[in-house]
Amino acid sequence: MKSQNLDRRKKALQLLESLESGASARVSQNIDEFHPEALEILLGFAFHDVVSRDGIDLRTREMLTVAMLAAMGTAQSQLEFHMRAALNTGVSPEELVEIVLQVSVYAGIPASMNAMTAAKAAIV
Amino acid sequence: MKSQNLDRRKKALQLLESLESGASARVSQNIDEFHPEALEILLGFAFHDVVSRDGIDLRTREMLTVAMLAAMGTAQSQLEFHMRAALNTGVSPEELVEIVLQVSVYAGIPASMNAMTAAKAAIV
Amino acid sequence: MKSQNLDRRKKALQLLESLESGASARVSQNIDEFHPEALEILLGFAFHDVVSRDGIDLRTREMLTVAMLAAMGTAQSQLEFHMRAALNTGVSPEELVEIVLQVSVYAGIPASMNAMTAAKAAIV
Amino acid sequence: MKSQNLDRRKKALQLLESLESGASARVSQNIDEFHPEALEILLGFAFHDVVSRDGIDLRTREMLTVAMLAAMGTAQSQLEFHMRAALNTGVSPEELVEIVLQVSVYAGIPASMNAMTAAKAAIV
Amino acid sequence: MKSQNLDRRKKALQLLESLESGASARVSQNIDEFHPEALEILLGFAFHDVVSRDGIDLRTREMLTVAMLAAMGTAQSQLEFHMRAALNTGVSPEELVEIVLQVSVYAGIPASMNAMTAAKAAIV
Amino acid sequence: MKSQNLDRRKKALQLLESLESGASARVSQNIDEFHPEALEILLGFAFHDVVSRDGIDLRTREMLTVAMLAAMGTAQSQLEFHMRAALNTGVSPEELVEIVLQVSVYAGIPASMNAMTAAKAAIV
């Protein structure tokens, strides 16, 4: 792997670790056993190229991610992770409550209820 | 209509008007000619019950709404409206750019491109 | 084409025509110029195999179809067609109003607003 | 909480209980431990404002809800609940079969298969 | 059941069995206990009418199916089945890796991660 | 912009141009007027990092892309583009017909009909 790619991988995992302590080891093991380039491609894009950009702080970005995953309703375990990541980056439990309620407006009550389940698991 | 319902309708339209000047007249005409109770039910829920709540400021809520609608990809004209509403409530064009980019991570490049189209129309 | 396939095609188009006068000629021209077997495969399945079954009357089936298409939010022109088909098979405008409102509960306000647009176009 | 809100909460829970005996206690405990106002906001909207309206009977509304949740495919446990609620409000097992089959036309075979799983769990 | 329907059922199950040894017995039991005509309607359409057609070979069709189910994100167990079926019809593990990566472009990183989970379970 | 980023941008546009003559100029103008880094981030990921990879040829990748966009149903104009790109990379009109039919199995008849519209516009 070229040095720029190693750098991209490393920075992506640093961002991931800042979302939840221990996540970088767990996720990198999971993805690396799938394919050695997958982590740099997927998380390099997600965390190195996009989420670590200036312009919006990480705390607000996690609020946006929680809202998107809850509204889409197709990635419950990632939603649970980002509920925890939101708390870890400074989002308050009260703010998670408000996001869960707002999801109901744009994606319906069942999406909101599933987000509530994820939020409760994270807040405990 | 009971007075509490009239109050709910009125407050919902006030919130809507704060998202875009002129929106309350346009939207209320559109919905009222469909059914006289629809506005109070739908926008009373959306704007009186949820979006006007404390806990997250309106500016951040519009960022969340833009992210959700862009990720879902099923309501392009509402996305365009909320891109404008985001700007009207203090979201910067730079922040809209960041949201558009972040959408690509969680919902894919086509969703991001459609959000870009909506953002460009609002920012002009 | 085998006779059983011709029969399937014919019965599918009869069901379609009962949803809206003139629809069988318009839709069959559209699909036949794509591929000569597509109509029998797609509408044979939809209308001959499923929608024409006993167990639920056609009027109620159109209510279900309107609700599904509105909730999914990915086929606005088909939603408009089935709003008209619903009226043609005995669903009242008042019932369409109720379906539009119920969509908001399960799929959110924007899905309901897009269904409202389709319903208004059909009811006029 | 204001009396009108208490009334909204109470009526929402009555509707919920009519969908399945015991549901109001279970669901209210689940939502109340999340936030004391969430139940009135979410279920007040869903059940007091919308689903309890005249114009379509509860039995037909449950058919619509089942169809929508099955077509969306993002809320399997709610789909299972509403399969049971449909039976409890007078929908026959034969009608659930027909809805499951009709889902395949508008949302594809996998959505229909997942609805079949939910229906079988409810019908047993 | 008419002989043409029995033939349709039989051919659908043959196609299914070619996707995974043992699948025809397992799936037919599951569907037949739901309704005696469901298998012929649903799998007759899917496998007899469409997937067994000439024009695209079965191996490529399984690649398309895996891509679609992963992008939609609403049928994880069917995605797992078709990951195995893809391997059984000649798709290589390396090709599954590429499909999983390509899903991220069009449907986002979470959809790709869920497809990765399904692929890993099939490849083992 | 760093040289590696310029290289990523250049290679992404080369891939895009190979999908449709003239597309690189049109798309780069559209995205560059939104934000100067957006093209490298979004299309660098899509086309440089993923779609240009070995393991699956470009012709098959376009088939997968068409299937995914058709099944998701949320990006009709991108679907039209990739229908043309599929033809430009060697997919036959007959193969597009088969993909359109297969979409109906996994995402329903309306998704297939919308894909048919896109295919007909590309095949003309």
Side-chain angles (χ1 to χ4, degrees):
Chain A
M1 201 179 285
K2 284 182 272 184
S3 65
Q4 70 198 58
N5 290 355
L6 275 171
D7 187 54
R8 213 169 160 230
R9 175 189 167 97
K10 190 178 154 192
K11 288 194 176 165
L13 286 174
Q14 285 175 340
L15 192 287
L16 178 60
E17 188 69 15
S18 75
L19 297 182
E20 183 171 68
S21 178
S24 66
R26 186 179 72 241
V27 173
S28 64
Q29 182 181 349
N30 179 36
I31 302 183
D32 286 346
E33 66 188 27
F34 178 67
H35 191 274
E37 293 172 275
L39 193 147
E40 189 255 327
I41 292 172
L42 298 178
L43 301 195
F45 168 64
F47 294 144
H48 174 275
D49 296 1
V50 177
V51 176
S52 64
R53 285 174 59 85
D54 293 337
I56 299 180
D57 62 283
L58 190 55
R59 178 187 161 282
T60 305
R61 285 193 186 273
E62 281 305 305
M63 295 173 76
L64 296 170
T65 296
V66 161
M68 285 191 279
L69 290 177
M72 296 174 77
T74 49
Q76 187 72 7
S77 76
Q78 288 95 331
L79 178 58
E80 289 169 11
F81 173 80
H82 285 284
M83 287 284 185
R84 299 196 301 273
L87 294 171
N88 291 335
T89 55
V91 178
S92 69
E94 290 70 26
E95 286 172 315
L96 285 190
V97 167
E98 294 303 321
I99 297 173
V100 166
L101 293 176
Q102 192 170 334
V103 165
S104 72
V105 174
Y106 295 100
I109 305 294
S112 179
M113 293 299 292
N114 288 336
M116 188 186 295
T117 300
K120 287 172 72 173
I123 291 170
V124 166
Chain B
M1 201 180 284
K2 283 181 273 184
S3 66
Q4 69 198 61
N5 291 355
L6 275 171
D7 188 53
R8 213 168 160 231
R9 174 189 169 98
K10 188 177 155 192
K11 288 193 176 164
L13 287 174
Q14 283 174 341
L15 192 289
L16 177 60
E17 187 70 13
S18 76
L19 297 181
E20 182 172 68
S21 177
S24 66
R26 186 178 71 242
V27 173
S28 63
Q29 182 181 349
N30 180 37
I31 301 182
D32 286 346
E33 66 189 28
F34 177 67
H35 192 272
E37 292 172 276
L39 193 148
E40 190 255 327
I41 292 172
L42 298 178
L43 301 195
F45 169 63
F47 294 144
H48 175 274
D49 295 1
V50 178
V51 177
S52 65
R53 284 174 59 86
D54 291 337
I56 299 181
D57 62 283
L58 190 56
R59 177 188 162 282
T60 304
R61 286 192 185 274
E62 282 304 305
M63 294 173 76
L64 296 170
T65 296
V66 161
M68 286 192 277
L69 290 177
M72 297 175 77
T74 49
Q76 186 72 8
S77 75
Q78 287 95 330
L79 178 57
E80 290 171 9
F81 173 79
H82 284 285
M83 286 283 184
R84 299 195 302 271
L87 295 171
N88 291 337
T89 54
V91 178
S92 70
E94 290 70 26
E95 287 172 315
L96 285 190
V97 167
E98 294 304 321
I99 298 173
V100 166
L101 293 176
Q102 191 169 336
V103 165
S104 71
V105 173
Y106 295 99
I109 306 293
S112 178
M113 294 298 293
N114 289 335
M116 188 185 296
T117 300
K120 287 172 73 173
I123 292 171
V124 166
Chain C
M1 202 179 281
K2 284 181 272 183
S3 64
Q4 69 197 63
N5 291 355
L6 275 172
D7 187 54
R8 215 170 158 229
R9 174 190 169 95
K10 190 177 154 192
K11 286 193 178 166
L13 287 175
Q14 283 174 341
L15 191 289
L16 178 60
E17 188 69 15
S18 75
L19 297 181
E20 182 172 68
S21 177
S24 65
R26 186 178 71 243
V27 173
S28 62
Q29 182 181 349
N30 180 38
I31 302 183
D32 286 346
E33 67 189 27
F34 178 66
H35 192 273
E37 292 172 275
L39 193 148
E40 190 255 327
I41 292 172
L42 299 177
L43 302 196
F45 168 63
F47 295 143
H48 175 274
D49 295 2
V50 178
V51 176
S52 65
R53 285 173 59 84
D54 293 337
I56 299 182
D57 62 284
L58 189 57
R59 179 186 161 281
T60 305
R61 286 193 186 273
E62 281 306 303
M63 294 174 75
L64 296 170
T65 296
V66 161
M68 286 192 277
L69 291 176
M72 297 174 77
T74 49
Q76 187 72 8
S77 75
Q78 286 96 330
L79 178 58
E80 289 170 9
F81 172 79
H82 284 284
M83 287 284 186
R84 298 195 303 272
L87 294 171
N88 292 335
T89 53
V91 178
S92 70
E94 290 69 27
E95 286 172 316
L96 285 190
V97 167
E98 293 304 319
I99 297 173
V100 167
L101 293 176
Q102 192 170 335
V103 165
S104 72
V105 173
Y106 295 99
I109 306 293
S112 178
M113 293 298 292
N114 289 334
M116 188 186 295
T117 300
K120 287 172 73 174
I123 291 171
V124 165
Chain D
M1 201 180 282
K2 284 181 274 183
S3 65
Q4 70 198 60
N5 291 355
L6 276 171
D7 187 55
R8 213 170 159 230
R9 174 191 168 96
K10 190 177 154 192
K11 288 194 176 165
L13 287 174
Q14 284 174 339
L15 192 289
L16 177 60
E17 187 69 14
S18 75
L19 297 182
E20 183 171 67
S21 177
S24 66
R26 185 179 72 241
V27 173
S28 63
Q29 181 181 348
N30 179 37
I31 302 183
D32 286 347
E33 67 189 26
F34 178 68
H35 192 274
E37 292 171 277
L39 194 147
E40 189 254 326
I41 292 172
L42 298 177
L43 300 195
F45 168 63
F47 294 143
H48 174 273
D49 295 2
V50 177
V51 176
S52 65
R53 286 173 58 84
D54 293 336
I56 299 181
D57 61 285
L58 189 56
R59 178 186 161 283
T60 305
R61 286 192 186 274
E62 281 305 304
M63 294 173 76
L64 297 170
T65 296
V66 162
M68 286 192 278
L69 291 176
M72 297 176 78
T74 50
Q76 187 72 7
S77 75
Q78 289 95 332
L79 177 58
E80 289 169 10
F81 172 80
H82 285 285
M83 287 284 186
R84 298 194 303 272
L87 294 171
N88 292 336
T89 54
V91 178
S92 69
E94 290 70 25
E95 286 172 316
L96 285 189
V97 167
E98 294 304 319
I99 297 173
V100 167
L101 293 176
Q102 192 170 334
V103 165
S104 72
V105 173
Y106 295 100
I109 305 294
S112 178
M113 294 298 293
N114 288 335
M116 188 186 295
T117 301
K120 286 171 73 174
I123 291 172
V124 166
Chain E
M1 201 179 283
K2 284 181 273 183
S3 66
Q4 68 196 60
N5 291 355
L6 275 171
D7 187 54
R8 215 171 158 227
R9 174 189 167 97
K10 190 177 154 192
K11 288 194 175 163
L13 287 174
Q14 283 175 341
L15 192 287
L16 177 60
E17 188 70 14
S18 75
L19 296 181
E20 183 171 67
S21 177
S24 65
R26 186 178 72 243
V27 173
S28 64
Q29 182 181 349
N30 180 36
I31 301 183
D32 285 346
E33 67 188 26
F34 179 66
H35 191 274
E37 292 171 276
L39 193 147
E40 189 254 327
I41 292 172
L42 298 178
L43 301 196
F45 168 62
F47 294 144
H48 174 274
D49 295 2
V50 177
V51 176
S52 65
R53 284 173 60 83
D54 293 335
I56 298 181
D57 62 283
L58 189 56
R59 179 188 161 280
T60 305
R61 285 193 186 274
E62 281 306 303
M63 294 173 74
L64 296 170
T65 296
V66 161
M68 286 191 278
L69 291 176
M72 297 174 78
T74 48
Q76 187 73 7
S77 75
Q78 287 96 331
L79 178 58
E80 289 170 10
F81 173 81
H82 285 285
M83 286 283 186
R84 300 195 302 273
L87 294 170
N88 292 335
T89 54
V91 178
S92 69
E94 290 70 27
E95 286 172 316
L96 285 190
V97 167
E98 294 304 321
I99 297 173
V100 166
L101 293 176
Q102 192 169 335
V103 164
S104 71
V105 173
Y106 296 99
I109 305 294
S112 178
M113 294 298 293
N114 289 335
M116 188 185 295
T117 301
K120 286 172 72 173
I123 291 171
V124 166
Chain F
M1 202 179 281
K2 285 182 271 184
S3 65
Q4 69 197 60
N5 291 355
L6 275 171
D7 187 53
R8 212 169 160 231
R9 173 191 169 96
K10 189 177 153 192
K11 288 193 177 164
L13 287 174
Q14 282 174 342
L15 192 289
L16 177 60
E17 188 70 15
S18 75
L19 296 182
E20 182 171 68
S21 177
S24 66
R26 185 179 72 241
V27 172
S28 64
Q29 183 180 347
N30 179 37
I31 301 183
D32 286 346
E33 67 187 29
F34 178 67
H35 192 273
E37 292 172 276
L39 193 148
E40 190 255 327
I41 292 171
L42 299 177
L43 301 196
F45 169 63
F47 294 144
H48 175 274
D49 295 3
V50 178
V51 176
S52 65
R53 286 174 59 83
D54 292 337
I56 299 181
D57 62 284
L58 190 56
R59 178 186 161 283
T60 305
R61 285 193 186 274
E62 282 305 305
M63 293 172 77
L64 296 169
T65 297
V66 161
M68 285 191 279
L69 291 177
M72 298 174 78
T74 50
Q76 187 73 7
S77 74
Q78 288 96 329
L79 178 58
E80 289 170 9
F81 172 80
H82 285 284
M83 286 283 185
R84 297 195 303 271
L87 294 172
N88 292 335
T89 54
V91 178
S92 69
E94 289 69 27
E95 287 173 315
L96 286 189
V97 166
E98 293 304 320
I99 298 173
V100 166
L101 293 176
Q102 193 169 335
V103 165
S104 71
V105 173
Y106 295 99
I109 305 293
S112 179
M113 293 299 293
N114 288 335
M116 187 185 296
T117 301
K120 287 172 73 173
I123 291 172
V124 165

